[in-house]
Amino acid sequence: MENEVWLKDVAVFLAAAGIAAPFFRALKQSAVLAFLLAGVLLGPFGLGRLVESIPWLHFVTISDPHAVEPMGEAGILFLLFMLGLELSFGRLWALRKDVFGLGAFQVLLSATLIGAVAMFMGLEAGPASVIGLSLALSSTAIVMQILIEDRKAATPTGRTAFSVLLFQDIMVAPILILVGFLGIGGGSLLPAIGQAVIGGAFAIAFIGLVGRFAVRPAFQLAASAGGREMMLALTLLAVLGASAATAYAGLSLALGAFLAGLLLGETEFKTQIEIDLEPFKGLLIGLFFMTVGMGVDPLELAASWPIILGGTSALILGKGVLVYSGARLFGKPRHVGVQVATLLGPAGEFAFVVVGAAVAANVIGVQVAAQITAMAGLSMLITPFIARAGSRLADRLLPGDLGVHNHAPDDMPDGHVIIAGYGRVGRLLGELLLEENADIIAIDTDPKRIAQCRKDGIRIYYGDAGRIETLIKAGVESAAQFIVTVDNPDKAERVVRAVRSRRKDAPITARATDRKHADRLITAGASFVIHEAAEAALQLAVHALQDFGMSPDAARARITRAREEIYGDPEKEPVDGP
């Protein structure tokens, strides 16, 4: 019977994930809100209240919320892992002024202000600090989605918002550590901070040493064996092993997952790991937010709606003012400050993570947690509308001569070249391009080759270039040219089709083994194809003809005619294009 209930609850969750989340995305809302509302509706305080009077509702509600909590906790681990995976020391250094300047300004001042209000309302310093820190964070998922949809991710607004979000993401793990120590220390703030700093330092040192000497070799071995399944297993082992290590040291599980992400984010396998884990991460995180929603009692919230509505309004306004002030302090134009303020004023999904951890550690009470999560959820729900209003206001603040160009990046770099396959041919080609100061990104599946290239400072990703996800990570949308040197005919054709499906007019140069393979590549969408066997034969023929006594100019002219016969006369038969 218990197994039947568990299977039924899983089926209800999957139905919510397959119906509610896509429905909200169609409405241009965050899937996080879909899972939250689904948890409220299908949980014990929603339709679950009516099961006794309407028995058939048993089949469309979650009967045992506690049974799915471990899976929700696993979702948090992978959320923090993917967060660490996205961070890189190079990215942080490039954006250091905005990340550690404006980002720290926003988070610390917002947390201080919100915490002070919470203490004024009667809470102690420990719980008030947790509430302040949780609401100081914004929604990375919602904000970045809005920026991408509005084509502003590469504008000054997008880069500024991303920098602040990056600092907020970095702060998640320390906040969770603080919550854990507040629970252990009975709510005493200063000792908890000291323990968090010391414990975090030891954990980072230990996991860093293990990762340096064990993680990369293990992944190289798995990649050499040719199994994505092995790499996925190693990834799961790294996440769970690091989480167990931090938990054993008295720190949070989430910290270990975050550190594991940081370690693997510096390896050549980062792109492939992101692609493989993305579907699992989304489902597990969705389950976590459903468990959060199940703990919300709508009737209790309705009774305190003035507090929730007033608190949400004050939160958005207060954070917005601080973000705008910080943006102006760090030299941002008025229109950028307004847009970033409206994007980052609302709370984010990590408020649920932090508040949930605080409730589990008995740092804050359930009723207070319900009010805080309600304010966070409401602010997230209206984020797109606030951002749209902020965008209109920012457009009015633009100087007159910039109004037409307000959606274009101000320092768009030249397009890079993506080289699929970095063996002997690809590497030789890449070196020639690098000598001409071209910006290249290579994709390959040989871990030894990748390791050597990374040592040489070449930007190279591990992954299958025939998968759209890998190409997106390599910047397929902004690349100026694509060169396919993969030696496997079927894989080369798949790469060309994948590129052409995303970029209809981009130049694609491909390497073919023979004429038949060249015809397949042209049909797939290649712009120009080099016949590998034919080119080798033609080069040999040049020397052979000269050895027979033909002059060099005559030999080259004869080979040119032969090349035209092989590739076709472009004026008569354009076989070098799709």
Side-chain angles (χ1 to χ4, degrees):
M1 190 63 183
E2 290 181 0
N3 289 336
E4 292 177 2
V5 171
W6 185 82
L7 289 173
K8 186 266 298 180
D9 287 350
V10 171
V12 171
F13 160 70
L14 293 175
I19 298 174
F23 176 74
F24 266 65
R25 286 190 182 277
L27 296 177
K28 299 188 182 301
Q29 298 294 328
S30 170
V32 171
L33 295 176
F35 286 116
L36 285 171
L37 294 179
V40 174
L41 180 65
L42 304 177
F45 300 116
L47 295 178
R49 292 181 187 272
L50 307 176
V51 169
E52 291 186 3
S53 56
I54 310 177
W56 64 266
L57 288 177
H58 166 79
F59 297 102
V60 295
T61 57
I62 304 294
S63 302
D64 187 6
H66 297 292
V68 294
E69 284 181 357
M71 296 177 65
E73 292 174 358
I76 294 303
L77 295 185
F78 284 99
L79 176 61
L80 268 295
F81 172 74
M82 296 295 284
L83 191 63
L85 204 63
E86 282 295 325
L87 297 177
S88 70
F89 297 109
R91 178 180 292 181
L92 290 176
W93 184 252
L95 300 172
R96 58 191 179 278
K97 180 181 177 181
D98 287 342
V99 173
F100 299 105
L102 179 56
F105 178 91
Q106 182 271 317
V107 171
L108 297 179
L109 284 188
S110 297
T112 301
L113 178 62
I114 298 169
V117 173
M119 291 181 66
F120 178 78
M121 300 295 292
L123 292 177
E124 296 181 356
S129 65
V130 171
I131 293 173
L133 289 167
S134 64
L135 294 180
L137 306 180
S138 307
S139 175
T140 301
I142 296 177
V143 171
M144 292 308 299
Q145 184 64 30
I146 292 172
L147 290 171
I148 291 170
E149 290 174 355
D150 293 344
R151 298 186 178 182
K152 292 183 177 180
T155 65
T157 297
R159 290 193 299 273
T160 303
F162 176 75
S163 299
V164 177
L165 290 169
L166 202 57
F167 184 82
Q168 292 181 0
D169 292 343
I170 294 172
M171 289 298 295
V172 172
I175 292 172
L176 291 175
I177 296 173
L178 176 63
V179 170
F181 281 119
L182 282 173
I184 296 172
S188 182
L189 183 58
L190 291 178
I193 294 176
Q195 286 181 292
V197 172
I198 297 172
F202 276 109
I204 291 172
F206 174 75
I207 295 177
L209 287 173
V210 173
R212 179 179 179 83
F213 295 105
V215 171
R216 191 188 295 269
F219 271 87
Q220 289 176 340
L221 179 62
S224 299
R228 287 179 54 200
E229 299 83 358
M230 298 178 189
M231 292 187 62
L232 182 59
L234 272 179
T235 301
L236 297 176
L237 177 62
V239 175
L240 298 179
S243 300
T246 53
Y248 183 77
L251 303 170
S252 70
L253 290 167
L255 174 64
F258 179 76
L259 294 175
L262 282 177
L263 287 172
L264 293 178
E266 296 297 323
T267 70
E268 59 270 31
F269 306 103
K270 170 188 172 181
T271 302
Q272 189 66 45
I273 292 171
E274 287 177 328
I275 293 170
D276 290 341
L277 282 185
E278 188 63 31
F280 303 102
K281 182 205 73 170
L283 282 174
L284 290 172
I285 293 172
L287 182 54
F288 167 77
F289 286 120
M290 278 192 69
T291 59
V292 172
M294 291 175 205
V296 176
D297 189 341
L299 296 181
E300 287 188 8
L301 296 180
S304 56
W305 70 266
I307 298 176
I308 295 170
L309 187 58
T312 303
S313 302
L315 171 70
I316 294 173
L317 181 60
K319 282 181 64 180
V321 170
L322 285 175
V323 172
Y324 178 80
S325 302
R328 296 292 288 156
L329 180 65
F330 282 84
K332 306 301 178 184
R334 288 188 302 163
H335 69 280
V336 172
V338 168
Q339 284 187 291
V340 175
T342 53
L343 286 167
L344 302 181
E349 56 268 15
F350 284 115
F352 302 102
V353 177
V354 175
V355 170
V359 171
N362 295 318
V363 175
I364 61 176
V366 176
Q367 184 175 1
V368 174
Q371 293 177 348
I372 297 301
T373 53
M375 286 190 286
L378 179 60
S379 68
M380 290 170 63
L381 184 63
I382 62 178
T383 298
F385 306 103
I386 299 173
R388 196 170 298 122
S391 180
R392 293 196 185 101
L393 178 58
D395 289 345
R396 294 182 179 180
L397 295 175
L398 280 169
D401 60 336
L402 296 178
V404 178
H405 308 286
N406 62 346
H407 291 298
D410 63 344
D411 59 348
M412 177 67 73
D414 295 334
H416 57 283
V417 179
I418 295 179
I419 302 178
Y422 213 66
R424 290 174 298 174
V425 175
R427 175 132 193 174
L428 179 59
L429 177 61
E431 289 174 351
L432 292 173
L433 291 173
L434 289 172
E435 288 178 2
E436 299 301 321
N437 297 319
D439 188 11
I440 70 168
I441 293 180
I443 305 173
D444 205 283
T445 56
D446 187 330
K448 294 182 179 178
R449 185 180 300 153
I450 292 170
Q452 183 59 48
C453 288
R454 287 175 69 89
K455 289 181 181 178
D456 296 340
I458 297 171
R459 296 173 63 188
I460 186 167
Y461 294 153
Y462 176 89
D464 181 359
R467 296 183 63 179
I468 294 295
E469 300 94 330
T470 305
L471 291 172
I472 291 174
K473 294 291 183 183
V476 63
E477 303 294 348
S478 60
Q481 185 178 2
F482 301 85
I483 301 176
V484 182
T485 65
V486 178
D487 54 5
N488 183 292
D490 293 332
K491 287 184 178 180
E493 183 181 356
R494 188 155 48 86
V495 172
V496 172
R497 292 187 184 279
V499 172
R500 188 57 72 203
S501 70
R502 298 288 297 197
R503 297 285 303 278
K504 301 299 182 184
D505 56 350
I508 305 174
T509 302
R511 162 194 178 192
T513 55
D514 52 36
R515 183 55 190 255
K516 187 178 294 186
H517 181 209
D519 291 339
R520 287 168 54 193
L521 290 173
I522 292 170
T523 302
S527 306
F528 186 80
V529 176
I530 298 297
H531 299 218
E532 186 177 67
E535 287 297 330
L538 291 172
Q539 293 299 320
L540 290 171
V542 170
H543 295 281
L545 292 174
Q546 292 182 37
D547 289 342
F548 274 113
M550 187 178 289
S551 68
D553 289 340
R556 283 192 292 270
R558 179 64 188 92
I559 296 304
T560 299
R561 292 196 302 273
R563 181 176 283 109
E564 291 175 354
E565 293 172 1
I566 294 173
Y567 286 96
D569 186 347
E571 296 182 358
K572 297 179 181 180
E573 183 187 2
V575 297
D576 61 342

